[in-house]
Amino acid sequence: MDKHRIRFLPLDITYLAQDGENLLDFAMDVGVHINASCGGNGTCKRCKVRLVEGRVDFCQDQALSVSGHGEDIVLACQTRIKGDAVFEIPLESQIDRSALKSRKSPNILSAPDSLASLGGISPDPVAYKINITLEPPGIDNNMADSERLIRVLKNSHNMGDVKINLNILKRLPSLLRNSGWDVTLTIAETDMGLEITDVQVGNTPKKQYALAIDIGTTTVCGQIIDLWDCSKTGSRVIGESADYNAQISYGDDVITRIMHTRKKGGLKRLQEAVVKTINLIIDELTDKAGIERSFISHMVCAGNTTMTHLLLGVEPRYIMISPYTPAFVFPPVIKGGDIGIKGLDNTPLYLFPCVSSYVGGDIVAGVISSGMAKEGDISLFIDIGTNGEIVLGNKDWLMCASCSAGPAFEGGGISHGMRAAKGAIEQVRINKKTYEPMILTIGHSKPLGICGSGLIDSIAEMLSAGIITENGRFNRELPTDRVREGKDGYEYVLCYGKETQTGRDICLTEIDIDNIMRAKAAMFAGCKVLLDSAGLYFNELKRVIIAGGFGHFLDPSKAQIIGLLPELPLERFVFIGNSSLMGASLFALSREYASEAERVARMMTNIELTNNNRFMEEFMAAMFLPHTDLRLFSKTLGVR
Amino acid sequence: MGFEIPKIRYTGKIKKVTLGYGERQVKIGGEGCYPFYTFEGDMPNPPRVAFEVWDCEPDDWQEWAIEPFRDVLHDPVLWAKKCIDVYGAELIALNLKSADPNGMNRDVEDVVEVVKKVAGAIDCPLIVWGTSNDDKDAVLLRRVAEVCEGKNIALGPLSEKNYKQIGAMAIGYSQVVMASTPIDVNLAKQLNILLGNLGVQDEKILIDPTSGSLGYGLEYTYSVMERDRMAALTQEDTKLQYPIICNVAQEVWKTKETRLTEQEEPRLGNEVRRSILMESVTAMSLLIAGADIVIMRHPEGVRLIKEMIGELTAE
Ligand code: FES
């Protein structure tokens, strides 16, 4: 596709843009500051630039947006690049050139679009469908229905020992006869061995879907996968949906959830809550994709150890009591009906194996989707979630640890925090002279809150602009109204109420900053201790894989400024988004990944950080921006 | 082959800090080895003892603490002079007790007046110790920095909360600051970084690691100071390479062991001797952990400590 030359005045720098790219997104990418406070929604009218020459396209309401201004004034967020062009940035948006020089090449990582992935893997699922035709019984052959079925499987499909459970048996006689002895069986590998989990009338083997579900402490995400047909979109993932885990009303983190199970009926309540969320997600997925539930052959869930216990309704209490023993790490294969999943009573549900109390199936799923356990080079895998987990190693060895980072990066415990959904502020730049922000929201919607990546950006930018000091406190003497005293102490206003969805100002307070510092300090300290235990230095890492649903973008240089990520060349960072969900989808798609999950779970050595003195030490040292040990961030500090 | 005593490889040095002005100015710091390890490195400036003086007449002192100063306790200027003239003080640490919001809560300007008088009356270096109340100190110590212009005093404690206000004035009037953090290596380092970013020169910073008295947490202070020095001298941690000051007097003399008389608790033995030893053993331990200045109250304790420093630094 054609690239267009976009020149910005008066900075006089030129960058190449894709055809059709949004001008504000593009400016954000290349590091050119344009004031923007409605997230690119077209309502704040602050992103005005002058089109000096060239050709552009406008989004629909552009005419509205610029009424009252000269013709050549355009709103950057409503402008699409259609050819070479020159834009002049007005005075109130300008920064000094020095800020630009420091930025050699833009390096914002975006999470892979999961809807486009999985296309290249040939399906070989743990549950598969086959069509068989049976000879109808006669007076000379009145063998029982189920034995008749099994004999066909044995003789023509070479399947020795297939079990039929009671649910299927009950439906079998009428099904066989109604179908005219032509049925499609779903045969799944379960704890019973090979098991017939469904019998359908007629020839339907190519209508097979699977559900992959990531059960996060904060968010539950699901995907529906078409196992045989990826012609429509070139992707097997035909739908995706996410919602808050309904357990949230019983506590923000795993510890409070476990505490809740001690109350009367608590365990059941939590199980029902998460199942309710899963049911809603399945409804949405199947509705949107227009698929009958009966064509779902199996489900795969990945969750942390506590979530896995709660989903199965197993007492999780000893997870939080020293010596931190889970009830199990290799979960049984269950049926949807066992836990109350609607319309999928007899459908097998596979859960990822866990490693320890605080390193669960979500991490095992993440590791298999990252591919790190298949490589010779050493990688560090970091999952930035409610409970930060880290894995270090390669194909021969893996070490893992969990550091209770808290839910800050998922928006938890942050006054205007939210998960990475529509309306979440996900990219932020702050002008170092005027302290005015440039923000982009997910979907360019009116801002609703701030998600993890927006928080990382905001804090890095506030620090670089001198709005906060290295201990996370506000500089109270700046000539800007955006830093002010609120009811929870000092705060910076990212968006004023008139630009937001709720009508309330979106701010970051000192308490928020403190929570994020704690979260990042726990993550970094965990990484440091894990590397120390393996006798490695950060620069020996070939790859740092970052996972987590905190946003669609991650700018590793910003994460380094706040000391969340170690100081390594930017090209060593990879951002893979929600890797737990991706791992679950891979498991659903192919048994190769199912066995890889087991291998990885068995291979991981867990390093316990709870009550670990070294961890506490490192945590304290990391409770600073970027870090108390300046030598670990000498380059970053130099740049700043 | 002869036996060779293993030596520690030092890669860092403590910064030199000068207090006071003119002939009686005092230099501290500069050491390139662990405290008193003169067989391994250099300790160019021996540690010093500062005499504690209050800005008001104490009303709860032990009889045996009052005794050496009975004639001067009512007047901080006379008190400071007696320390210098009679007991040979090289440094005076003026404790602004009367300003404490939880005590007399005297007005800032009244207290500043006293500081001014004392500073004007002595020619040895002055240390001014505030109330440890962040808000009050923020106002009080700023004024102190101002009125002591040219005297190169040390003032503090500065906390993470008020370092900006006080630090800015200290820079303006070229005073030394005492960066105070609650017994933690990292917090100490962080405050030093913040002070550096604010523009405070390296040779204008002292670390107050927060001292505990013997029997009341001394071991925590001790090990934090040890670690400060290890990081500073062997791990090139530049943000910890500052001299350390410990306020021993105010911690020791409030303990039960310095208050009970022999009559009240025969098992503890003579109260005068015991209190002096409490103070000197605390000071001695902190010096061995790396203190460059200890603030003390009793002249006899000071004598013991000076003797010890002399012996340990003798060629
Ligand atoms: S109008 Fe463009 S960002 Fe608000």
Side-chain angles (χ1 to χ4, degrees), chain A residues 617, chain B residues 181-188 207-210 217-231 240 244 286 289-290:
Chain A
E617 273 295 319
Chain B
T181 43
I183 323 193
D184 184 279
V185 180
N186 285 307
L187 294 179
I207 297 177
D208 162 27
T210 306
L218 171 65
E219 57 277 32
Y220 292 108
T221 311
Y222 190 101
S223 57
V224 162
M225 284 167 63
E226 255 189 324
R227 289 180 45 208
D228 280 349
R229 279 296 146 103
M230 281 184 206
L240 284 171
I244 297 175
L286 295 173

PDB file of all heavy atoms in Angstrom, chain A residues 617, chain B residues 181-188 207-210 217-231 240 244 286 289-290:
ATOM      1  N   GLU A 617      12.826  -6.710  50.188  1.00  0.00           N
ATOM      2  CA  GLU A 617      13.932  -5.778  49.960  1.00  0.00           C
ATOM      3  C   GLU A 617      13.831  -5.143  48.578  1.00  0.00           C
ATOM      4  O   GLU A 617      13.885  -3.930  48.431  1.00  0.00           O
ATOM      5  CB  GLU A 617      15.257  -6.553  50.009  1.00  0.00           C
ATOM      6  CG  GLU A 617      15.842  -6.690  51.389  1.00  0.00           C
ATOM      7  CD  GLU A 617      16.228  -5.334  51.922  1.00  0.00           C
ATOM      8  OE1 GLU A 617      16.767  -4.537  51.139  1.00  0.00           O
ATOM      9  OE2 GLU A 617      15.954  -5.072  53.108  1.00  0.00           O
TER      10      GLU A 617
ATOM     11  N   THR B 181      15.168   9.675  57.373  1.00  0.00           N
ATOM     12  CA  THR B 181      14.228   8.644  56.939  1.00  0.00           C
ATOM     13  C   THR B 181      14.149   7.566  58.012  1.00  0.00           C
ATOM     14  O   THR B 181      15.097   7.376  58.768  1.00  0.00           O
ATOM     15  CB  THR B 181      14.684   7.999  55.615  1.00  0.00           C
ATOM     16  OG1 THR B 181      16.085   7.759  55.683  1.00  0.00           O
ATOM     17  CG2 THR B 181      14.380   8.877  54.434  1.00  0.00           C
ATOM     18  N   PRO B 182      13.028   6.879  58.095  1.00  0.00           N
ATOM     19  CA  PRO B 182      12.820   5.914  59.179  1.00  0.00           C
ATOM     20  C   PRO B 182      13.534   4.577  58.979  1.00  0.00           C
ATOM     21  O   PRO B 182      12.949   3.647  58.457  1.00  0.00           O
ATOM     22  CB  PRO B 182      11.300   5.726  59.194  1.00  0.00           C
ATOM     23  CG  PRO B 182      10.865   6.044  57.801  1.00  0.00           C
ATOM     24  CD  PRO B 182      11.837   7.044  57.261  1.00  0.00           C
ATOM     25  N   ILE B 183      14.751   4.496  59.410  1.00  0.00           N
ATOM     26  CA  ILE B 183      15.527   3.249  59.464  1.00  0.00           C
ATOM     27  C   ILE B 183      15.305   2.357  58.240  1.00  0.00           C
ATOM     28  O   ILE B 183      14.798   1.250  58.331  1.00  0.00           O
ATOM     29  CB  ILE B 183      15.201   2.444  60.754  1.00  0.00           C
ATOM     30  CG1 ILE B 183      14.974   3.403  61.924  1.00  0.00           C
ATOM     31  CG2 ILE B 183      16.310   1.458  61.084  1.00  0.00           C
ATOM     32  CD1 ILE B 183      14.955   2.732  63.294  1.00  0.00           C
ATOM     33  N   ASP B 184      15.711   2.870  57.063  1.00  0.00           N
ATOM     34  CA  ASP B 184      15.550   2.062  55.851  1.00  0.00           C
ATOM     35  C   ASP B 184      16.523   2.552  54.789  1.00  0.00           C
ATOM     36  O   ASP B 184      16.568   3.740  54.479  1.00  0.00           O
ATOM     37  CB  ASP B 184      14.107   2.177  55.341  1.00  0.00           C
ATOM     38  CG  ASP B 184      13.859   1.281  54.141  1.00  0.00           C
ATOM     39  OD1 ASP B 184      14.226   1.666  53.005  1.00  0.00           O
ATOM     40  OD2 ASP B 184      13.295   0.191  54.337  1.00  0.00           O
ATOM     41  N   VAL B 185      17.278   1.625  54.249  1.00  0.00           N
ATOM     42  CA  VAL B 185      18.298   1.985  53.267  1.00  0.00           C
ATOM     43  C   VAL B 185      17.668   2.633  52.030  1.00  0.00           C
ATOM     44  O   VAL B 185      18.118   3.668  51.552  1.00  0.00           O
ATOM     45  CB  VAL B 185      19.101   0.740  52.833  1.00  0.00           C
ATOM     46  CG1 VAL B 185      20.167   1.119  51.818  1.00  0.00           C
ATOM     47  CG2 VAL B 185      19.728   0.064  54.023  1.00  0.00           C
ATOM     48  N   ASN B 186      16.607   1.999  51.536  1.00  0.00           N
ATOM     49  CA  ASN B 186      16.016   2.506  50.299  1.00  0.00           C
ATOM     50  C   ASN B 186      15.397   3.875  50.467  1.00  0.00           C
ATOM     51  O   ASN B 186      15.526   4.735  49.602  1.00  0.00           O
ATOM     52  CB  ASN B 186      14.969   1.529  49.774  1.00  0.00           C
ATOM     53  CG  ASN B 186      15.615   0.330  49.143  1.00  0.00           C
ATOM     54  OD1 ASN B 186      16.463   0.474  48.268  1.00  0.00           O
ATOM     55  ND2 ASN B 186      15.268  -0.858  49.611  1.00  0.00           N
ATOM     56  N   LEU B 187      14.710   4.056  51.591  1.00  0.00           N
ATOM     57  CA  LEU B 187      14.081   5.357  51.799  1.00  0.00           C
ATOM     58  C   LEU B 187      15.152   6.438  51.925  1.00  0.00           C
ATOM     59  O   LEU B 187      14.989   7.553  51.424  1.00  0.00           O
ATOM     60  CB  LEU B 187      13.187   5.320  53.036  1.00  0.00           C
ATOM     61  CG  LEU B 187      11.959   4.404  52.921  1.00  0.00           C
ATOM     62  CD1 LEU B 187      11.155   4.414  54.215  1.00  0.00           C
ATOM     63  CD2 LEU B 187      11.077   4.827  51.755  1.00  0.00           C
ATOM     64  N   ALA B 188      16.250   6.090  52.584  1.00  0.00           N
ATOM     65  CA  ALA B 188      17.341   7.054  52.726  1.00  0.00           C
ATOM     66  C   ALA B 188      17.849   7.462  51.356  1.00  0.00           C
ATOM     67  O   ALA B 188      18.021   8.646  51.045  1.00  0.00           O
ATOM     68  CB  ALA B 188      18.466   6.438  53.548  1.00  0.00           C
ATOM     69  N   ILE B 207      23.142  12.271  56.269  1.00  0.00           N
ATOM     70  CA  ILE B 207      22.055  11.293  56.423  1.00  0.00           C
ATOM     71  C   ILE B 207      21.718  11.142  57.898  1.00  0.00           C
ATOM     72  O   ILE B 207      22.606  10.937  58.721  1.00  0.00           O
ATOM     73  CB  ILE B 207      22.487   9.913  55.875  1.00  0.00           C
ATOM     74  CG1 ILE B 207      22.772   9.984  54.376  1.00  0.00           C
ATOM     75  CG2 ILE B 207      21.423   8.857  56.182  1.00  0.00           C
ATOM     76  CD1 ILE B 207      23.271   8.666  53.788  1.00  0.00           C
ATOM     77  N   ASP B 208      20.414  11.287  58.214  1.00  0.00           N
ATOM     78  CA  ASP B 208      19.963  10.930  59.564  1.00  0.00           C
ATOM     79  C   ASP B 208      19.158   9.636  59.419  1.00  0.00           C
ATOM     80  O   ASP B 208      18.021   9.659  58.965  1.00  0.00           O
ATOM     81  CB  ASP B 208      19.079  12.040  60.140  1.00  0.00           C
ATOM     82  CG  ASP B 208      18.249  11.555  61.320  1.00  0.00           C
ATOM     83  OD1 ASP B 208      18.686  10.606  62.014  1.00  0.00           O
ATOM     84  OD2 ASP B 208      17.152  12.110  61.541  1.00  0.00           O
ATOM     85  N   PRO B 209      19.725   8.508  59.786  1.00  0.00           N
ATOM     86  CA  PRO B 209      19.047   7.234  59.533  1.00  0.00           C
ATOM     87  C   PRO B 209      17.963   6.931  60.568  1.00  0.00           C
ATOM     88  O   PRO B 209      17.309   5.905  60.471  1.00  0.00           O
ATOM     89  CB  PRO B 209      20.180   6.216  59.642  1.00  0.00           C
ATOM     90  CG  PRO B 209      21.157   6.840  60.581  1.00  0.00           C
ATOM     91  CD  PRO B 209      21.036   8.322  60.425  1.00  0.00           C
ATOM     92  N   THR B 210      17.747   7.821  61.524  1.00  0.00           N
ATOM     93  CA  THR B 210      16.859   7.648  62.676  1.00  0.00           C
ATOM     94  C   THR B 210      17.503   6.664  63.652  1.00  0.00           C
ATOM     95  O   THR B 210      17.703   5.499  63.314  1.00  0.00           O
ATOM     96  CB  THR B 210      15.456   7.132  62.299  1.00  0.00           C
ATOM     97  OG1 THR B 210      14.902   7.984  61.311  1.00  0.00           O
ATOM     98  CG2 THR B 210      14.536   7.138  63.508  1.00  0.00           C
ATOM     99  N   GLY B 217      15.855  -0.669  69.945  1.00  0.00           N
ATOM    100  CA  GLY B 217      15.948  -0.697  68.488  1.00  0.00           C
ATOM    101  C   GLY B 217      17.288  -0.274  67.933  1.00  0.00           C
ATOM    102  O   GLY B 217      17.410  -0.044  66.732  1.00  0.00           O
ATOM    103  N   LEU B 218      18.286  -0.159  68.803  1.00  0.00           N
ATOM    104  CA  LEU B 218      19.624   0.202  68.312  1.00  0.00           C
ATOM    105  C   LEU B 218      20.078  -0.727  67.196  1.00  0.00           C
ATOM    106  O   LEU B 218      20.656  -0.291  66.200  1.00  0.00           O
ATOM    107  CB  LEU B 218      20.632   0.147  69.475  1.00  0.00           C
ATOM    108  CG  LEU B 218      22.103   0.300  69.088  1.00  0.00           C
ATOM    109  CD1 LEU B 218      22.379   1.682  68.525  1.00  0.00           C
ATOM    110  CD2 LEU B 218      23.008   0.033  70.281  1.00  0.00           C
ATOM    111  N   GLU B 219      19.757  -2.009  67.346  1.00  0.00           N
ATOM    112  CA  GLU B 219      20.244  -2.979  66.362  1.00  0.00           C
ATOM    113  C   GLU B 219      19.697  -2.713  64.964  1.00  0.00           C
ATOM    114  O   GLU B 219      20.364  -2.989  63.968  1.00  0.00           O
ATOM    115  CB  GLU B 219      19.949  -4.417  66.821  1.00  0.00           C
ATOM    116  CG  GLU B 219      18.501  -4.738  67.110  1.00  0.00           C
ATOM    117  CD  GLU B 219      18.064  -4.299  68.526  1.00  0.00           C
ATOM    118  OE1 GLU B 219      18.584  -3.298  69.043  1.00  0.00           O
ATOM    119  OE2 GLU B 219      17.183  -4.955  69.096  1.00  0.00           O
ATOM    120  N   TYR B 220      18.496  -2.162  64.876  1.00  0.00           N
ATOM    121  CA  TYR B 220      17.961  -1.853  63.543  1.00  0.00           C
ATOM    122  C   TYR B 220      18.770  -0.736  62.903  1.00  0.00           C
ATOM    123  O   TYR B 220      19.176  -0.827  61.756  1.00  0.00           O
ATOM    124  CB  TYR B 220      16.484  -1.442  63.635  1.00  0.00           C
ATOM    125  CG  TYR B 220      15.594  -2.581  64.038  1.00  0.00           C
ATOM    126  CD1 TYR B 220      15.022  -2.623  65.309  1.00  0.00           C
ATOM    127  CD2 TYR B 220      15.341  -3.632  63.165  1.00  0.00           C
ATOM    128  CE1 TYR B 220      14.222  -3.681  65.697  1.00  0.00           C
ATOM    129  CE2 TYR B 220      14.535  -4.696  63.548  1.00  0.00           C
ATOM    130  CZ  TYR B 220      13.982  -4.715  64.812  1.00  0.00           C
ATOM    131  OH  TYR B 220      13.191  -5.755  65.183  1.00  0.00           O
ATOM    132  N   THR B 221      18.943   0.339  63.668  1.00  0.00           N
ATOM    133  CA  THR B 221      19.737   1.440  63.142  1.00  0.00           C
ATOM    134  C   THR B 221      21.115   0.935  62.754  1.00  0.00           C
ATOM    135  O   THR B 221      21.645   1.269  61.697  1.00  0.00           O
ATOM    136  CB  THR B 221      19.898   2.528  64.215  1.00  0.00           C
ATOM    137  OG1 THR B 221      18.610   2.821  64.752  1.00  0.00           O
ATOM    138  CG2 THR B 221      20.496   3.784  63.628  1.00  0.00           C
ATOM    139  N   TYR B 222      21.668   0.116  63.637  1.00  0.00           N
ATOM    140  CA  TYR B 222      23.021  -0.383  63.408  1.00  0.00           C
ATOM    141  C   TYR B 222      23.125  -1.097  62.063  1.00  0.00           C
ATOM    142  O   TYR B 222      23.991  -0.808  61.248  1.00  0.00           O
ATOM    143  CB  TYR B 222      23.417  -1.332  64.547  1.00  0.00           C
ATOM    144  CG  TYR B 222      24.872  -1.728  64.535  1.00  0.00           C
ATOM    145  CD1 TYR B 222      25.779  -1.130  65.397  1.00  0.00           C
ATOM    146  CD2 TYR B 222      25.346  -2.697  63.663  1.00  0.00           C
ATOM    147  CE1 TYR B 222      27.123  -1.476  65.395  1.00  0.00           C
ATOM    148  CE2 TYR B 222      26.677  -3.053  63.639  1.00  0.00           C
ATOM    149  CZ  TYR B 222      27.571  -2.449  64.501  1.00  0.00           C
ATOM    150  OH  TYR B 222      28.881  -2.796  64.488  1.00  0.00           O
ATOM    151  N   SER B 223      22.199  -2.039  61.820  1.00  0.00           N
ATOM    152  CA  SER B 223      22.361  -2.817  60.593  1.00  0.00           C
ATOM    153  C   SER B 223      22.018  -1.996  59.355  1.00  0.00           C
ATOM    154  O   SER B 223      22.608  -2.198  58.295  1.00  0.00           O
ATOM    155  CB  SER B 223      21.576  -4.131  60.644  1.00  0.00           C
ATOM    156  OG  SER B 223      20.241  -3.865  60.866  1.00  0.00           O
ATOM    157  N   VAL B 224      21.096  -1.034  59.485  1.00  0.00           N
ATOM    158  CA  VAL B 224      20.816  -0.175  58.330  1.00  0.00           C
ATOM    159  C   VAL B 224      22.039   0.682  58.008  1.00  0.00           C
ATOM    160  O   VAL B 224      22.416   0.848  56.840  1.00  0.00           O
ATOM    161  CB  VAL B 224      19.567   0.699  58.592  1.00  0.00           C
ATOM    162  CG1 VAL B 224      19.519   1.878  57.637  1.00  0.00           C
ATOM    163  CG2 VAL B 224      18.314  -0.133  58.447  1.00  0.00           C
ATOM    164  N   MET B 225      22.700   1.183  59.052  1.00  0.00           N
ATOM    165  CA  MET B 225      23.901   1.989  58.812  1.00  0.00           C
ATOM    166  C   MET B 225      25.018   1.143  58.195  1.00  0.00           C
ATOM    167  O   MET B 225      25.734   1.591  57.296  1.00  0.00           O
ATOM    168  CB  MET B 225      24.377   2.631  60.114  1.00  0.00           C
ATOM    169  CG  MET B 225      23.513   3.823  60.502  1.00  0.00           C
ATOM    170  SD  MET B 225      23.793   4.396  62.191  1.00  0.00           S
ATOM    171  CE  MET B 225      25.487   4.902  62.104  1.00  0.00           C
ATOM    172  N   GLU B 226      25.155  -0.054  58.692  1.00  0.00           N
ATOM    173  CA  GLU B 226      26.143  -0.962  58.113  1.00  0.00           C
ATOM    174  C   GLU B 226      25.891  -1.138  56.622  1.00  0.00           C
ATOM    175  O   GLU B 226      26.802  -1.095  55.805  1.00  0.00           O
ATOM    176  CB  GLU B 226      26.008  -2.343  58.776  1.00  0.00           C
ATOM    177  CG  GLU B 226      27.072  -2.660  59.768  1.00  0.00           C
ATOM    178  CD  GLU B 226      26.974  -4.113  60.191  1.00  0.00           C
ATOM    179  OE1 GLU B 226      25.834  -4.628  60.306  1.00  0.00           O
ATOM    180  OE2 GLU B 226      28.030  -4.720  60.408  1.00  0.00           O
ATOM    181  N   ARG B 227      24.621  -1.357  56.296  1.00  0.00           N
ATOM    182  CA  ARG B 227      24.286  -1.584  54.891  1.00  0.00           C
ATOM    183  C   ARG B 227      24.459  -0.317  54.065  1.00  0.00           C
ATOM    184  O   ARG B 227      24.852  -0.373  52.901  1.00  0.00           O
ATOM    185  CB  ARG B 227      22.870  -2.139  54.774  1.00  0.00           C
ATOM    186  CG  ARG B 227      22.803  -3.571  55.291  1.00  0.00           C
ATOM    187  CD  ARG B 227      21.416  -4.126  55.186  1.00  0.00           C
ATOM    188  NE  ARG B 227      20.821  -3.827  53.897  1.00  0.00           N
ATOM    189  CZ  ARG B 227      19.531  -3.705  53.690  1.00  0.00           C
ATOM    190  NH1 ARG B 227      18.690  -3.873  54.692  1.00  0.00           N
ATOM    191  NH2 ARG B 227      19.076  -3.456  52.497  1.00  0.00           N
ATOM    192  N   ASP B 228      24.150   0.848  54.676  1.00  0.00           N
ATOM    193  CA  ASP B 228      24.402   2.125  53.995  1.00  0.00           C
ATOM    194  C   ASP B 228      25.866   2.183  53.575  1.00  0.00           C
ATOM    195  O   ASP B 228      26.200   2.508  52.441  1.00  0.00           O
ATOM    196  CB  ASP B 228      24.166   3.301  54.956  1.00  0.00           C
ATOM    197  CG  ASP B 228      22.691   3.631  55.103  1.00  0.00           C
ATOM    198  OD1 ASP B 228      21.891   3.101  54.323  1.00  0.00           O
ATOM    199  OD2 ASP B 228      22.348   4.423  56.006  1.00  0.00           O
ATOM    200  N   ARG B 229      26.732   1.857  54.516  1.00  0.00           N
ATOM    201  CA  ARG B 229      28.160   1.978  54.266  1.00  0.00           C
ATOM    202  C   ARG B 229      28.658   0.918  53.274  1.00  0.00           C
ATOM    203  O   ARG B 229      29.516   1.193  52.445  1.00  0.00           O
ATOM    204  CB  ARG B 229      28.935   1.883  55.576  1.00  0.00           C
ATOM    205  CG  ARG B 229      28.946   3.183  56.343  1.00  0.00           C
ATOM    206  CD  ARG B 229      29.674   4.261  55.551  1.00  0.00           C
ATOM    207  NE  ARG B 229      29.131   5.579  55.746  1.00  0.00           N
ATOM    208  CZ  ARG B 229      29.682   6.507  56.522  1.00  0.00           C
ATOM    209  NH1 ARG B 229      30.780   6.251  57.178  1.00  0.00           N
ATOM    210  NH2 ARG B 229      29.123   7.698  56.616  1.00  0.00           N
ATOM    211  N   MET B 230      28.115  -0.270  53.359  1.00  0.00           N
ATOM    212  CA  MET B 230      28.514  -1.298  52.391  1.00  0.00           C
ATOM    213  C   MET B 230      28.162  -0.840  50.987  1.00  0.00           C
ATOM    214  O   MET B 230      28.976  -0.921  50.065  1.00  0.00           O
ATOM    215  CB  MET B 230      27.788  -2.607  52.676  1.00  0.00           C
ATOM    216  CG  MET B 230      28.371  -3.399  53.808  1.00  0.00           C
ATOM    217  SD  MET B 230      27.456  -4.944  53.897  1.00  0.00           S
ATOM    218  CE  MET B 230      27.687  -5.327  55.603  1.00  0.00           C
ATOM    219  N   ALA B 231      26.910  -0.360  50.832  1.00  0.00           N
ATOM    220  CA  ALA B 231      26.470   0.087  49.508  1.00  0.00           C
ATOM    221  C   ALA B 231      27.335   1.252  49.046  1.00  0.00           C
ATOM    222  O   ALA B 231      27.734   1.330  47.889  1.00  0.00           O
ATOM    223  CB  ALA B 231      25.005   0.495  49.556  1.00  0.00           C
ATOM    224  N   LEU B 240      24.315   7.051  48.494  1.00  0.00           N
ATOM    225  CA  LEU B 240      24.436   6.790  49.934  1.00  0.00           C
ATOM    226  C   LEU B 240      25.781   7.247  50.460  1.00  0.00           C
ATOM    227  O   LEU B 240      26.108   7.054  51.629  1.00  0.00           O
ATOM    228  CB  LEU B 240      24.240   5.289  50.213  1.00  0.00           C
ATOM    229  CG  LEU B 240      22.787   4.812  50.143  1.00  0.00           C
ATOM    230  CD1 LEU B 240      22.721   3.297  50.216  1.00  0.00           C
ATOM    231  CD2 LEU B 240      21.951   5.420  51.255  1.00  0.00           C
ATOM    232  N   ILE B 244      27.009  10.432  58.071  1.00  0.00           N
ATOM    233  CA  ILE B 244      25.813  10.084  58.846  1.00  0.00           C
ATOM    234  C   ILE B 244      25.828  10.812  60.188  1.00  0.00           C
ATOM    235  O   ILE B 244      26.876  10.903  60.835  1.00  0.00           O
ATOM    236  CB  ILE B 244      25.767   8.562  59.075  1.00  0.00           C
ATOM    237  CG1 ILE B 244      25.651   7.828  57.734  1.00  0.00           C
ATOM    238  CG2 ILE B 244      24.610   8.177  59.991  1.00  0.00           C
ATOM    239  CD1 ILE B 244      25.710   6.313  57.842  1.00  0.00           C
ATOM    240  N   LEU B 286      26.969   3.205  67.417  1.00  0.00           N
ATOM    241  CA  LEU B 286      26.622   3.884  66.178  1.00  0.00           C
ATOM    242  C   LEU B 286      27.864   4.378  65.454  1.00  0.00           C
ATOM    243  O   LEU B 286      27.924   4.383  64.223  1.00  0.00           O
ATOM    244  CB  LEU B 286      25.645   5.035  66.462  1.00  0.00           C
ATOM    245  CG  LEU B 286      24.277   4.562  66.987  1.00  0.00           C
ATOM    246  CD1 LEU B 286      23.406   5.739  67.403  1.00  0.00           C
ATOM    247  CD2 LEU B 286      23.544   3.734  65.917  1.00  0.00           C
ATOM    248  N   ALA B 289      29.205   1.605  63.617  1.00  0.00           N
ATOM    249  CA  ALA B 289      28.383   1.281  62.449  1.00  0.00           C
ATOM    250  C   ALA B 289      28.586   2.286  61.330  1.00  0.00           C
ATOM    251  O   ALA B 289      28.190   2.047  60.193  1.00  0.00           O
ATOM    252  CB  ALA B 289      26.917   1.229  62.838  1.00  0.00           C
ATOM    253  N   GLY B 290      29.171   3.434  61.640  1.00  0.00           N
ATOM    254  CA  GLY B 290      29.441   4.391  60.569  1.00  0.00           C
ATOM    255  C   GLY B 290      29.035   5.831  60.812  1.00  0.00           C
ATOM    256  O   GLY B 290      29.103   6.647  59.895  1.00  0.00           O
TER     257      GLY B 290
END
